[in-house]
Amino acid sequence: MTGHLLIFGAGYTGMATATAARDAGWRVTVTSRSAETAARVEGVAVIGFDRAGSSIAAATHLLATAPPGGDGDPVLHAHAAAIAGGTKLRWAGYFSTTGVYGDRAGGWVDEATPPAPGNPRSVQRVAAEAAWAALSGRMAVDLFRIAGIYGPGRSPFAELRAGRGRRVDRPGHAFGRIHRDDISGAVLAAIGKTPPPGVRVLNLCDDLPAASADVIAHAAGLLGLPPPPLVPFEAAFAAMSPMARSFWAENRRVRSAVTQAALGYRWRYPDYRSGLASCLAEEGAEGRERR
Protein backbone atom coordinates (compact mmCIF):
# COMPACT_ATOMS: atom_id res chain seq x y z
CA MET A 1 0.00 0.00 0.00
CA THR A 2 1.22 3.47 -0.84
CA GLY A 3 -0.27 6.92 -0.62
CA HIS A 4 0.72 10.51 0.06
CA LEU A 5 3.08 10.94 3.02
CA LEU A 6 3.43 14.45 4.44
CA ILE A 7 6.46 14.91 6.70
CA PHE A 8 6.72 17.91 8.97
CA GLY A 9 10.42 18.59 9.39
CA ALA A 10 13.32 18.41 6.93
CA GLY A 11 16.00 17.42 9.41
CA TYR A 12 18.28 14.41 9.54
CA THR A 13 15.62 11.75 10.13
CA GLY A 14 12.85 13.55 8.28
CA MET A 15 14.77 13.67 5.03
CA ALA A 16 16.03 10.10 5.41
CA THR A 17 12.44 8.94 5.83
CA ALA A 18 11.33 11.05 2.87
CA THR A 19 13.98 9.46 0.66
CA ALA A 20 13.11 5.94 1.76
CA ALA A 21 9.38 6.53 1.22
CA ARG A 22 9.99 8.00 -2.22
CA ASP A 23 12.06 4.96 -3.17
CA ALA A 24 9.21 2.72 -1.96
CA GLY A 25 6.76 4.39 -4.33
CA TRP A 26 5.11 6.93 -2.02
CA ARG A 27 4.24 10.45 -3.03
CA VAL A 28 6.19 12.50 -0.48
CA THR A 29 5.91 16.11 0.63
CA VAL A 30 8.16 17.66 3.26
CA THR A 31 7.68 20.94 5.07
CA SER A 32 10.68 23.13 5.78
CA ARG A 33 11.41 26.55 7.18
CA SER A 34 14.56 26.72 5.03
CA ALA A 35 14.61 27.32 1.27
CA GLU A 36 17.89 25.39 1.02
CA THR A 37 16.05 22.14 1.67
CA ALA A 38 14.25 22.32 -1.67
CA ALA A 39 17.30 21.11 -3.58
CA ARG A 40 18.15 18.21 -1.27
CA VAL A 41 16.19 15.24 -2.60
CA GLU A 42 14.97 14.71 -6.12
CA GLY A 43 11.37 13.53 -6.28
CA VAL A 44 10.40 14.95 -2.88
CA ALA A 45 8.21 18.07 -2.88
CA VAL A 46 9.21 20.73 -0.35
CA ILE A 47 6.79 23.38 0.90
CA GLY A 48 6.89 26.05 3.57
CA PHE A 49 5.72 25.00 7.01
CA ASP A 50 3.12 27.77 7.14
CA ARG A 51 1.67 26.80 3.75
CA ALA A 52 0.93 23.16 4.47
CA GLY A 53 -2.88 23.36 4.46
CA SER A 54 -3.44 22.04 0.95
CA SER A 55 -0.93 19.23 1.47
CA ILE A 56 -2.67 18.17 4.68
CA ALA A 57 -5.94 17.96 2.75
CA ALA A 58 -4.30 15.71 0.14
CA ALA A 59 -2.24 13.53 2.51
CA THR A 60 -3.16 10.00 3.56
CA HIS A 61 -0.31 9.75 6.09
CA LEU A 62 1.33 12.44 8.23
CA LEU A 63 4.60 12.32 10.18
CA ALA A 64 5.64 14.99 12.70
CA THR A 65 9.36 15.09 13.54
CA ALA A 66 9.76 18.47 15.26
CA PRO A 67 10.23 18.75 19.04
CA PRO A 68 7.67 20.62 21.14
CA GLY A 69 8.20 24.18 22.30
CA GLY A 70 6.58 26.62 24.66
CA ASP A 71 3.35 26.47 22.66
CA GLY A 72 3.28 22.67 22.68
CA ASP A 73 3.65 20.62 19.53
CA PRO A 74 4.40 23.05 16.68
CA VAL A 75 2.51 21.07 14.03
CA LEU A 76 -0.68 20.85 16.04
CA HIS A 77 -0.30 24.44 17.23
CA ALA A 78 -0.23 25.68 13.63
CA HIS A 79 -2.35 23.12 11.80
CA ALA A 80 -4.72 21.39 14.24
CA ALA A 81 -7.83 22.53 12.38
CA ALA A 82 -6.53 21.40 8.99
CA ILE A 83 -5.50 18.02 10.41
CA ALA A 84 -8.89 17.57 12.06
CA GLY A 85 -10.51 18.28 8.70
CA GLY A 86 -8.16 16.05 6.69
CA THR A 87 -10.68 13.55 5.34
CA LYS A 88 -8.05 11.44 3.59
CA LEU A 89 -5.79 11.03 6.62
CA ARG A 90 -5.55 7.43 7.82
CA TRP A 91 -2.38 7.58 9.92
CA ALA A 92 -0.30 10.02 11.94
CA GLY A 93 3.14 9.36 13.37
CA TYR A 94 4.92 11.40 16.01
CA PHE A 95 8.67 11.31 16.72
CA SER A 96 9.01 11.34 20.50
CA THR A 97 11.92 10.16 22.65
CA THR A 98 12.77 7.35 25.05
CA GLY A 99 13.52 10.20 27.45
CA VAL A 100 9.83 10.11 28.44
CA TYR A 101 10.64 7.01 30.52
CA GLY A 102 12.90 9.06 32.78
CA ASP A 103 15.63 7.64 35.00
CA ARG A 104 15.30 3.95 35.83
CA ALA A 105 18.66 3.49 37.58
CA GLY A 106 19.81 1.23 34.78
CA GLY A 107 16.63 -0.87 34.76
CA TRP A 108 14.70 -2.02 31.73
CA VAL A 109 11.62 -0.39 30.23
CA ASP A 110 9.40 -1.53 27.37
CA GLU A 111 6.43 -0.29 25.35
CA ALA A 112 4.02 -0.91 28.27
CA THR A 113 6.09 1.06 30.80
CA PRO A 114 4.30 4.28 31.84
CA PRO A 115 6.22 7.49 31.15
CA ALA A 116 7.98 9.11 34.09
CA PRO A 117 9.65 12.20 32.63
CA GLY A 118 12.42 13.66 34.73
CA ASN A 119 13.26 16.92 32.95
CA PRO A 120 11.23 19.75 31.38
CA ARG A 121 11.91 18.66 27.80
CA SER A 122 10.58 15.16 28.49
CA VAL A 123 7.53 16.61 30.23
CA GLN A 124 6.81 18.57 27.04
CA ARG A 125 7.22 15.39 25.01
CA VAL A 126 4.64 13.54 27.11
CA ALA A 127 2.20 16.40 26.62
CA ALA A 128 2.83 16.34 22.85
CA GLU A 129 2.27 12.58 22.76
CA ALA A 130 -1.08 13.06 24.50
CA ALA A 131 -2.08 15.74 21.99
CA TRP A 132 -1.35 13.44 19.05
CA ALA A 133 -3.00 10.47 20.77
CA ALA A 134 -6.19 12.52 21.01
CA LEU A 135 -6.56 12.09 17.23
CA SER A 136 -6.74 8.32 17.50
CA GLY A 137 -10.52 8.18 17.41
CA ARG A 138 -10.49 8.77 13.68
CA MET A 139 -7.06 7.57 12.53
CA ALA A 140 -4.17 5.34 13.58
CA VAL A 141 -1.56 7.16 15.68
CA ASP A 142 1.93 5.77 16.20
CA LEU A 143 4.11 7.31 18.91
CA PHE A 144 7.73 6.57 18.03
CA ARG A 145 9.88 6.80 21.15
CA ILE A 146 13.36 7.17 19.72
CA ALA A 147 16.69 6.55 21.44
CA GLY A 148 19.98 8.30 20.60
CA ILE A 149 20.15 8.79 16.83
CA TYR A 150 23.29 8.08 14.84
CA GLY A 151 24.12 7.32 11.23
CA PRO A 152 26.22 8.49 8.30
CA GLY A 153 27.41 12.01 8.93
CA ARG A 154 26.36 11.74 12.58
CA SER A 155 28.82 9.25 14.00
CA PRO A 156 31.89 9.40 16.31
CA PHE A 157 34.38 9.11 13.46
CA ALA A 158 34.86 12.82 12.71
CA GLU A 159 35.72 13.64 16.32
CA LEU A 160 38.09 10.69 16.53
CA ARG A 161 39.86 11.63 13.30
CA ALA A 162 40.30 15.17 14.63
CA GLY A 163 41.72 13.92 17.90
CA ARG A 164 38.78 15.26 19.90
CA GLY A 165 37.19 11.95 20.82
CA ARG A 166 36.79 11.20 24.51
CA ARG A 167 35.54 8.34 26.63
CA VAL A 168 33.62 9.12 29.78
CA ASP A 169 34.22 6.59 32.53
CA ARG A 170 30.94 5.85 34.29
CA PRO A 171 30.60 2.14 35.06
CA GLY A 172 27.06 0.78 34.91
CA HIS A 173 25.69 3.61 32.79
CA ALA A 174 24.27 2.61 29.39
CA PHE A 175 22.77 4.55 26.51
CA GLY A 176 20.28 3.29 23.94
CA ARG A 177 20.75 4.22 20.31
CA ILE A 178 19.18 3.63 16.91
CA HIS A 179 20.56 3.94 13.40
CA ARG A 180 18.96 6.54 11.16
CA ASP A 181 18.04 3.91 8.55
CA ASP A 182 16.19 1.82 11.13
CA ILE A 183 14.08 4.86 11.98
CA SER A 184 13.04 5.26 8.35
CA GLY A 185 12.62 1.49 8.06
CA ALA A 186 10.29 1.42 11.05
CA VAL A 187 8.18 4.27 9.63
CA LEU A 188 7.85 2.51 6.27
CA ALA A 189 6.85 -0.71 8.02
CA ALA A 190 4.22 1.20 10.01
CA ILE A 191 2.64 2.95 7.04
CA GLY A 192 2.89 -0.10 4.79
CA LYS A 193 0.24 -1.84 6.90
CA THR A 194 -1.72 0.98 8.43
CA PRO A 195 -3.54 -0.29 11.53
CA PRO A 196 -7.11 0.69 12.41
CA PRO A 197 -7.74 3.84 14.48
CA GLY A 198 -6.03 3.72 17.86
CA VAL A 199 -2.67 4.42 19.50
CA ARG A 200 0.52 2.37 19.42
CA VAL A 201 3.69 3.03 21.38
CA LEU A 202 6.75 1.97 19.38
CA ASN A 203 10.24 1.96 20.88
CA LEU A 204 12.97 2.66 18.35
CA CYS A 205 16.06 1.45 20.17
CA ASP A 206 18.53 -1.25 19.14
CA ASP A 207 19.04 -4.50 20.99
CA LEU A 208 22.28 -3.62 22.80
CA PRO A 209 22.28 -0.70 25.25
CA ALA A 210 25.94 0.13 25.80
CA ALA A 211 28.30 2.41 27.66
CA SER A 212 29.38 5.44 25.66
CA ALA A 213 33.02 4.60 26.36
CA ASP A 214 32.61 1.17 24.76
CA VAL A 215 31.07 2.66 21.62
CA ILE A 216 33.87 5.22 21.22
CA ALA A 217 36.53 2.57 21.76
CA HIS A 218 34.97 0.37 19.09
CA ALA A 219 34.72 3.28 16.65
CA ALA A 220 38.39 4.09 17.22
CA GLY A 221 39.29 0.48 16.51
CA LEU A 222 37.43 0.60 13.20
CA LEU A 223 39.60 3.57 12.23
CA GLY A 224 42.78 1.82 13.35
CA LEU A 225 43.26 4.37 16.13
CA PRO A 226 43.95 3.78 19.81
CA PRO A 227 40.94 4.46 22.04
CA PRO A 228 40.96 7.88 23.68
CA PRO A 229 41.89 7.84 27.36
CA LEU A 230 39.11 7.48 29.89
CA VAL A 231 37.93 10.70 31.52
CA PRO A 232 36.47 10.41 35.04
CA PHE A 233 32.75 11.14 34.97
CA GLU A 234 32.97 13.93 37.56
CA ALA A 235 35.51 15.85 35.47
CA ALA A 236 33.57 15.31 32.26
CA PHE A 237 30.27 16.31 33.87
CA ALA A 238 31.68 19.65 35.01
CA ALA A 239 32.47 20.57 31.40
CA MET A 240 29.16 19.40 29.88
CA SER A 241 26.40 21.59 28.52
CA PRO A 242 23.11 21.59 30.45
CA MET A 243 21.54 19.37 27.79
CA ALA A 244 24.37 16.85 27.93
CA ARG A 245 24.11 16.77 31.70
CA SER A 246 20.42 15.95 31.47
CA PHE A 247 21.19 12.95 29.25
CA TRP A 248 23.87 11.64 31.59
CA ALA A 249 21.61 12.17 34.61
CA GLU A 250 19.31 9.37 33.41
CA ASN A 251 20.14 5.69 33.02
CA ARG A 252 17.78 3.16 31.47
CA ARG A 253 17.74 0.22 29.09
CA VAL A 254 14.97 0.09 26.49
CA ARG A 255 13.43 -3.03 24.98
CA SER A 256 11.90 -2.95 21.51
CA ALA A 257 10.88 -6.57 20.90
CA VAL A 258 7.18 -5.71 20.92
CA THR A 259 7.77 -2.92 18.40
CA GLN A 260 9.71 -5.13 16.02
CA ALA A 261 7.03 -7.83 16.23
CA ALA A 262 4.19 -5.36 15.69
CA LEU A 263 5.86 -3.88 12.63
CA GLY A 264 7.14 -7.17 11.25
CA TYR A 265 10.51 -5.44 10.99
CA ARG A 266 13.86 -6.48 12.40
CA TRP A 267 16.54 -3.87 12.94
CA ARG A 268 19.06 -3.72 10.11
CA TYR A 269 21.59 -2.64 12.73
CA PRO A 270 20.68 -4.40 15.99
CA ASP A 271 23.79 -3.12 17.79
CA TYR A 272 26.32 -0.33 17.55
CA ARG A 273 28.98 -2.58 16.03
CA SER A 274 27.00 -3.31 12.87
CA GLY A 275 25.70 0.24 12.73
CA LEU A 276 29.12 1.88 13.02
CA ALA A 277 30.59 -0.41 10.38
CA SER A 278 27.84 0.70 8.00
CA CYS A 279 28.41 4.37 8.86
CA LEU A 280 32.10 4.07 8.10
CA ALA A 281 31.41 2.40 4.79
CA GLU A 282 28.95 5.14 3.79
CA GLU A 283 31.04 8.04 5.02
CA GLY A 284 34.14 6.74 3.27
CA ALA A 285 37.75 7.55 3.96
CA GLU A 286 37.08 11.27 3.59
CA GLY A 287 34.62 11.18 6.47
CA ARG A 288 31.60 12.51 4.60
CA GLU A 289 28.38 10.73 3.78
CA ARG A 290 28.33 9.35 0.27
CA ARG A 291 25.06 10.41 -1.34
Side-chain angles (χ1 to χ4, degrees):
M1 180 189 70
T2 58
H4 183 182
L5 174 63
L6 172 61
I7 300 176
F8 282 91
Y12 186 67
T13 54
M15 293 308 293
T17 303
T19 303
R22 176 208 62 188
D23 292 346
W26 288 75
R27 177 186 174 191
V28 182
T29 302
V30 174
T31 73
S32 175
R33 299 182 188 272
S34 169
E36 296 178 1
T37 305
R40 278 193 189 176
V41 179
E42 183 179 352
V44 173
V46 180
I47 61 173
F49 176 84
D50 295 329
R51 298 194 299 273
S54 60
S55 293
I56 294 171
T60 58
H61 295 67
L62 183 156
L63 177 66
T65 70
D71 293 325
D73 180 82
V75 177
L76 292 176
H77 178 72
H79 299 294
I83 292 171
T87 57
K88 295 182 180 180
L89 280 173
R90 302 194 300 270
W91 178 90
Y94 174 66
F95 277 1
S96 185
T97 168
T98 55
V100 300
Y101 293 118
D103 181 36
R104 303 288 172 153
W108 286 93
V109 298
D110 60 23
E111 294 84 351
T113 303
N119 62 62
R121 292 192 317 279
S122 295
V123 171
Q124 289 179 332
R125 288 287 192 177
V126 172
E129 285 188 358
W132 282 101
L135 301 174
S136 62
R138 55 179 293 264
M139 69 181 75
V141 176
D142 282 340
L143 305 176
F144 296 95
R145 292 176 177 168
I146 304 175
I149 300 168
Y150 74 105
R154 190 178 287 190
S155 70
F157 297 123
E159 292 292 294
L160 287 165
R161 287 188 178 102
R164 296 191 297 267
R166 66 173 186 171
R167 293 191 299 146
V168 177
D169 186 19
R170 194 179 189 192
H173 191 281
F175 283 105
R177 53 192 53 79
I178 189 73
H179 192 284
R180 176 201 66 183
D181 293 347
D182 276 324
I183 296 175
S184 60
V187 172
L188 260 63
I191 63 179
K193 297 179 180 178
T194 304
V199 180
R200 292 191 301 190
V201 170
L202 302 172
N203 286 341
L204 305 192
C205 188
D206 72 20
D207 299 332
L208 186 63
S212 175
D214 293 344
V215 176
I216 300 302
H218 185 76
L222 291 175
L223 292 175
L225 299 173
L230 286 169
V231 178
F233 173 70
E234 292 74 14
F237 188 80
M240 289 178 187
S241 67
M243 181 172 288
R245 289 183 179 184
S246 71
F247 286 120
W248 280 92
E250 297 181 349
N251 185 13
R252 60 186 164 269
R253 289 167 169 80
V254 182
R255 291 190 176 96
S256 61
V258 170
T259 292
Q260 294 178 70
L263 296 178
Y265 177 83
R266 293 290 296 171
W267 303 136
R268 291 175 60 188
Y269 306 107
D271 55 55
Y272 67 85
R273 299 183 186 95
S274 58
L276 287 176
S278 176
C279 290
L280 187 59
E282 289 198 48
E283 291 175 3
E286 70 277 9
R288 295 189 299 272
E289 181 180 358
R290 293 172 175 170
R291 294 187 179 276

